[in-house]
Amino acid sequence: MSSSTQAKPLDGTGWIGKVLAGLILGATLAIGLMGVLGLLFHADAQLKTATSQILRWFPGPAWGLVVAFSFLFRSPRQAWLALAVANAGVWGLFFLLHGITA
């Protein structure tokens, strides 16, 4: 294979773009996932239920994992694109479930 068709190795270039993608789009992804889980669990406003406790503590670790895994993308552009597509899917699912359950 020629060098132009080989996959680019992971390196430290573009780390600021990857971090920003993880921080910004990771936050919206974690909140969207929390919404989807809330709809699937039929969560209510009772703070002492197990469901509400799970949903309360879910976004932080999920957001942290997205930020951490954003370094595994080969470029900042790929990180932004993949996380944007993931956000679109999660938020689309949220609005679909919200329309069904409403």
Side-chain angles (χ1 to χ4, degrees), residues 59-69:
W63 189 18
L65 284 172
V66 171
V67 172
F69 285 123

Side-chain angles (χ1 to χ4, degrees), residues 5-20:
T5 60
Q6 289 180 344
K8 179 183 167 193
L10 290 174
D11 57 10
T13 59
W15 66 270
I16 192 75
K18 294 175 187 178
V19 168
L20 288 174

Side-chain angles (χ1 to χ4, degrees), residues 22-87:
L23 286 174
I24 296 168
L25 293 179
T28 57
L29 185 62
I31 292 168
L33 287 170
M34 181 178 66
V36 168
L37 290 176
L39 289 172
L40 291 175
F41 290 155
H42 303 289
D44 56 9
Q46 298 297 322
L47 296 178
K48 293 185 178 184
T49 63
T51 303
S52 67
Q53 288 297 315
I54 290 170
L55 291 176
R56 176 180 288 179
W57 293 101
F58 175 79
W63 189 18
L65 284 172
V66 171
V67 172
F69 285 123
S70 69
F71 287 102
L72 296 178
F73 291 105
R74 303 233 179 254
S75 69
R77 182 177 178 267
Q78 186 182 21
W80 281 95
L81 187 62
L83 290 175
V85 168
N87 265 287

